[in-house]
Amino acid sequence: MNYPEFLRIEREGSDGSRHYVVHTHDPKFSLELTPDAAAPNQIGRGVIRRLQVPNSWAGDYTKYAKFMTTAQEFFAQSFAEPEPKAVSRRLAR
């Protein structure tokens, strides 16, 4: 699947790595996730630790529930094997 509006950021720290999924279009929000240790591949769709949304969206969970689900799907897909360089260069044209 293609997720052009999402970006995954991984930060290494003294307490381990932290994973963030950022939605870059409206509504702009970020999700902090940890890999799901109970999943068969030890990553799964991630366990939500924190959600940061604009103030105008606070409390209206039905608005961004579908975005959160898509963000978790993106998180799982982002750990898949990358495409070979030849394929990605060909598709970039």
Side-chain angles (χ1 to χ4, degrees), residues 33-67:
L33 298 148
T34 57
D36 187 2
N41 65 352
Q42 300 293 309
I43 296 171
R45 292 180 52 200
V47 177
I48 298 173
R49 293 188 61 188
R50 185 181 324 166
L51 170 67
Q52 293 177 322
V53 297
N55 284 341
S56 61
W57 281 57
D60 196 352
Y61 301 108
T62 57
K63 277 187 177 180
Y64 52 85
K66 68 177 181 175
F67 291 112

Side-chain angles (χ1 to χ4, degrees), residues 12-16:
E12 293 291 331
S14 60
D15 58 343

Side-chain angles (χ1 to χ4, degrees), residues 66-83:
K66 68 177 181 175
F67 291 112
M68 289 173 47
T69 303
T70 308
Q72 284 185 292
E73 291 170 5
F74 169 75
F75 179 75
Q77 291 281 328
S78 69
F79 286 97
E81 287 292 319
E83 290 183 1

Side-chain angles (χ1 to χ4, degrees), residues 8-45:
R8 181 174 67 92
I9 301 169
E10 183 176 354
R11 290 192 161 177
E12 293 291 331
S14 60
D15 58 343
S17 65
R18 299 178 118 183
H19 302 271
Y20 301 91
V21 174
V22 179
H23 189 255
T24 58
H25 299 299
D26 284 331
K28 293 182 172 138
F29 70 89
S30 66
L31 218 75
E32 182 180 349
L33 298 148
T34 57
D36 187 2
N41 65 352
Q42 300 293 309
I43 296 171
R45 292 180 52 200

